Amino acid sequence: MTKTVVNCPTCGRPVRWEPASSWRPFCSERCRLIDLGDWLDEGHRISEPIDGYRPDTVPNDDGEA
């Protein structure tokens, strides 16, 4: 059976995808915290929908938002 190996998103080191890898997909708590800090500093973000759909707009009776 082949073990799945992924690269740590922060440093690129190989990480085995198994229960013993407690920080997966990161190689260590340090890399996990660096990534969390990037999210908190807004270095990462989820993009706007590219098709124009916005869930916060509700169509009116005419079908227009």
Side-chain angles (χ1 to χ4, degrees), residues 9-10 41 64:
T10 303
D41 289 339
E64 296 178 14

Side-chain angles (χ1 to χ4, degrees), residues 17-51:
W17 196 267
E18 59 188 8
S21 301
S22 57
W23 305 111
R24 66 182 186 259
F26 303 99
C27 67
S28 65
E29 182 180 22
R30 178 181 179 273
C31 282
R32 183 184 67 87
L33 291 174
I34 290 170
D35 185 73
L36 177 61
D38 286 344
W39 280 99
L40 294 174
D41 289 339
E42 297 183 4
H44 300 302
R45 66 185 71 166
I46 298 172
S47 70
E48 290 289 324
I50 58 174
D51 62 359

